[in-house]
Amino acid sequence: GGGAHFDPFTMFEQFFAQDHMGGGGGGGMPGGGFQFGGGGGRQQHRPAEDLYPKQDKSSNVVRLGKSKFPGRDSKHLWMIVYYDDNARECAEAKASVLKLAKGLSGTIKVGAVNCGSNQREQAFCEQKRVQPNTFSMVVDGEEHIYEGEVRTKPLHEFAMEHVPYSLVQQVNRVDHVQ
């Protein structure tokens, strides 16, 4: 039988070829079938390199997440960076984060939460209402979100503003330092 033939796969391919492949979708696939791949989609990409790997002890950045996150009982002050390995702005912020971690070493710990690593961490970030490339300070289990420019100096100032006054040591005389 002749007549018009409706092929939903060809329609799908033509529709999405314009969005994801940059050109106009030129007709059906050879053989009339549909092949997966070529379009957007996360699993199509080679996994990005982990910006803050757990094994890298030299970076002064501690990997955190749902199972390991500072609470009220933490004996440290924490600067947290939420990130996603696949986000360009997170990769661009890495140098500032590493410099900040080095500068804060010994006073404030810097931790990194990978919001894009898996469903559990993504849900954790959603629960906290944070996007990748968000910075915060955790003091006594309370989280304070940073709203400024992603540069070392303003992030350092933000961290210092959140150090509890009770932890700031007054130094009036030389013998206080010794």
Side-chain angles (χ1 to χ4, degrees):
H5 175 70
F6 175 73
D7 182 356
F9 292 120
T10 301
M11 185 184 92
F12 183 87
E13 190 259 336
Q14 287 175 336
F15 180 78
F16 285 101
Q18 295 170 358
D19 287 352
H20 295 294
M21 296 179 202
M29 303 290 266
F34 183 80
Q35 298 170 346
F36 288 95
R42 233 183 146 109
Q43 60 275 29
Q44 302 293 329
H45 302 293
R46 187 177 64 75
E49 159 191 351
D50 192 343
L51 294 173
Y52 308 100
K54 281 184 185 174
Q55 312 82 270
D56 187 5
K57 303 292 183 219
S58 65
S59 76
N60 294 325
V61 178
V62 179
R63 264 300 275 285
L64 300 173
K66 184 174 176 59
S67 60
K68 180 181 179 183
F69 195 83
R72 275 204 169 287
D73 55 344
S74 176
K75 49 186 187 263
H76 302 286
L77 299 171
W78 285 89
M79 165 71 81
I80 310 293
V81 55
Y82 295 92
Y83 72 101
D84 183 334
D85 294 321
N86 294 303
R88 191 189 69 211
E89 68 271 14
C90 295
E92 290 170 355
K94 181 179 178 179
S96 292
V97 172
L98 294 177
K99 193 173 177 184
L100 181 71
K102 194 172 183 175
L104 294 174
S105 180
T107 52
I108 297 173
K109 287 194 169 274
V110 175
V113 176
N114 189 346
C115 296
S117 65
N118 59 45
Q119 295 263 276
R120 190 177 75 159
E121 297 307 324
Q122 191 174 347
F124 180 63
C125 292
E126 286 170 10
Q127 172 202 336
K128 295 189 139 303
R129 293 188 170 102
V130 294
Q131 299 287 321
N133 220 32
T134 298
F135 292 78
S136 71
M137 274 292 293
V138 177
V139 181
D140 295 328
E142 197 175 314
E143 194 163 12
H144 307 272
I145 303 293
Y146 173 70
E147 309 247 344
E149 230 181 316
V150 181
R151 287 194 1 258
T152 309
K153 189 173 194 276
L155 281 164
H156 188 273
E157 289 168 358
F158 172 77
M160 290 297 126
E161 286 168 13
H162 286 84
V163 173
Y165 189 74
S166 61
L167 298 180
V168 177
Q169 189 173 8
Q170 295 295 323
V171 180
N172 298 338
R173 299 187 318 263
V174 174
D175 61 323
H176 286 169
V177 179
Q178 296 168 334

